[in-house]
Amino acid sequence: MYFCWQHYCQGFGSPFQQCILESQAITSPTPRYVARLPTPFVIEVRGSDAAKVINNLSTNDILKLPLDADQETFITDVRGWVVAHAAALKRQDSVWLIGSHASSNKICEHIDRYIIREEASIVDHTTTHALLVVGDGPFQGHSASANSRDANRCVSGVQADSAGPLLLGCNLPVLGQGSIVFCCSRDRIEEAEQVFVVAGSQLCSDQLFQWLRISSFWPLYPNDISEKTIPQELDRDPRAISFTKGCYLGQETIARLDARGQLQKKLCLLEIVNSDLEQPLQACDRLIVGDKEVGQITSIACDSDNVTWRALALLRRGNFTAGTEFPCNGQTARVLPIVS
């Protein structure tokens, strides 16, 4: 079965009506997995200066982004610390920010603080809408890329004969490259899930979702991103940071760190090798080699067969290289390469 995004969205009325994407009749195989994104936020900045406002607070170049396209970005504060990790979708007179965060209010308050004379206002849709992510899981041994506009305009594998609950789509590789995060009203989230399940997608348990997003090297608040995280520490520079755009809040810190190349800690993907323990490590566990701390686990999950454990860990400089191994809790942790 196949899905046509335009057909699915036609005639569906909601606060997001202006953001329904115009589709091309593109089809592709059914996404393998579907899951709810935990602690979602959906924020709209409206007005003729919306793109300017977000560009002034964002690590990526929103002003150069084509209409109806999206890109991964960080919203940063004056110190260069991450306020939000999001997809930014640019519309004619608005910019949408979607992602995961414990408090959408903090993001809205931060943006509002820097709207002075600009023609812009903030609408927080978080309490009325949810986010659903679909994807095929992490790619192994090769890289893949998704065309932003095509991915926005089509979700694959679903036959839709009437208007449905999906409203807005952005590229975020939560479940591997090519994953799409969709927005829908909270009261229709189960209906949206079933659309994909009926078409053949697997609805993820919490364990499976955590395993897939960790294996896909996708960080989440609050485990992997703290209030004092610098964007480069999350190792998403090619996707989420422009080093050629104009000034933005926190740019001095980020540009200086890039110029000096002295990143002291970085998020890395680990696999716990030959683990015979039911739970070899837990989030927040420290990684110790000898009497020296080399890092800290931020997220950890086991595969569906309860055999292999993978984790995201904030490692100290000197331990970033793929293949690096060190003992942890009587086991061996190995740094895995990141496939992008």
Side-chain angles (χ1 to χ4, degrees):
M1 292 190 292
Y2 291 91
F3 169 81
C4 177
W5 174 237
Q6 183 180 30
H7 186 113
Y8 199 60
C9 288
Q10 277 180 341
F12 187 78
S14 78
F16 288 89
Q17 193 167 11
Q18 293 182 355
C19 275
I20 293 176
L21 302 177
E22 297 149 359
S23 172
Q24 301 170 358
I26 304 172
T27 56
S28 58
T30 304
R32 187 175 179 185
Y33 302 105
V34 56
R36 300 185 192 188
L37 193 66
T39 59
F41 67 84
V42 182
I43 297 170
E44 176 191 11
V45 181
R46 295 175 178 170
S48 58
D49 291 328
K52 176 182 176 182
V53 168
I54 298 302
N55 194 67
N56 289 342
L57 304 174
S58 171
T59 57
N60 232 331
D61 199 333
I62 306 303
L63 291 179
K64 291 184 179 179
L65 189 66
L67 291 179
D68 301 331
D70 65 86
Q71 62 185 186
E72 183 181 335
T73 192
F74 295 104
I75 304 298
T76 47
D77 66 14
V78 68
R79 295 158 294 192
W81 293 344
V82 175
V83 175
H85 180 209
L89 171 64
K90 186 178 180 181
R91 303 294 289 173
Q92 182 63 48
D93 287 310
S94 65
V95 174
W96 296 79
L97 298 174
I98 70 171
S100 180
H101 195 284
S103 174
S104 62
N105 288 336
K106 289 185 178 180
I107 303 172
C108 292
E109 290 171 359
H110 175 73
I111 297 171
D112 187 60
R113 188 177 300 121
Y114 294 96
I115 298 177
I116 311 300
R117 297 180 180 177
E118 293 81 5
E119 181 62 36
S121 61
I122 303 170
V123 182
D124 188 355
H125 298 285
T126 302
T127 59
T128 55
H129 288 75
L131 297 177
L132 198 67
V133 57
V134 298
D136 292 327
F139 289 89
Q140 299 297 329
H142 67 281
S143 62
S145 60
N147 181 287
S148 175
R149 288 191 163 196
D150 286 351
N152 277 338
R153 297 177 182 190
C154 174
V155 103
S156 46
V158 179
Q159 179 67 48
D161 296 322
S162 61
L166 302 178
L167 305 172
L168 171 70
C170 289
N171 291 281
L172 282 179
V174 181
L175 300 180
Q177 302 303 324
S179 296
I180 309 173
V181 177
F182 286 100
C183 178
C184 66
S185 59
R186 285 185 180 270
D187 60 1
R188 300 191 71 177
I189 184 70
E190 291 184 0
E191 178 185 350
E193 288 174 334
Q194 285 305 307
V195 168
F196 293 100
V197 171
V198 169
S201 299
Q202 179 180 352
L203 184 62
C204 292
S205 64
D206 180 65
Q207 176 185 346
L208 179 58
F209 171 76
Q210 293 297 337
W211 164 262
L212 291 172
R213 72 95 182 169
I214 288 172
S215 298
S216 301
F217 195 66
W218 184 258
L220 279 184
Y221 277 95
N223 296 53
D224 313 304
I225 307 175
S226 74
E227 294 182 350
K228 295 184 179 181
T229 297
I230 298 172
Q232 286 104 314
E233 293 174 349
L234 298 173
D235 199 17
R236 306 198 63 80
D237 297 13
R239 284 182 168 270
I241 304 177
S242 169
F243 293 101
T244 59
K245 64 174 285 188
C247 296
Y248 60 91
L249 198 68
Q251 182 192 32
E252 183 179 356
T253 299
I254 295 167
R256 183 171 61 246
L257 184 58
D258 179 63
R260 294 180 177 178
Q262 295 180 343
L263 194 63
Q264 297 303 311
K265 55 184 178 179
K266 187 172 72 171
L267 197 69
C268 295
L269 175 61
L270 302 182
E271 186 164 278
I272 313 303
V273 182
N274 298 325
S275 176
D276 56 3
L277 301 179
E278 183 176 347
Q279 176 74 27
L281 289 168
Q282 297 181 11
C284 299
D285 280 355
R286 296 179 178 182
L287 302 175
I288 308 293
V289 175
D291 59 354
K292 182 180 179 181
E293 181 178 333
V294 298
Q296 186 175 40
I297 298 291
T298 58
S299 295
I300 187 167
C302 191
D303 66 2
S304 56
D305 295 326
N306 294 315
V307 173
T308 304
W309 290 85
R310 285 184 178 171
L312 297 182
L314 199 60
L315 300 183
R316 295 185 182 275
R317 186 180 182 88
N319 300 281
F320 304 157
T321 305
T324 300
E325 295 185 353
F326 41 81
C328 58
N329 197 19
Q331 308 298 305
T332 300
R334 177 187 299 133
V335 180
L336 297 181
I338 305 303
V339 179
S340 58

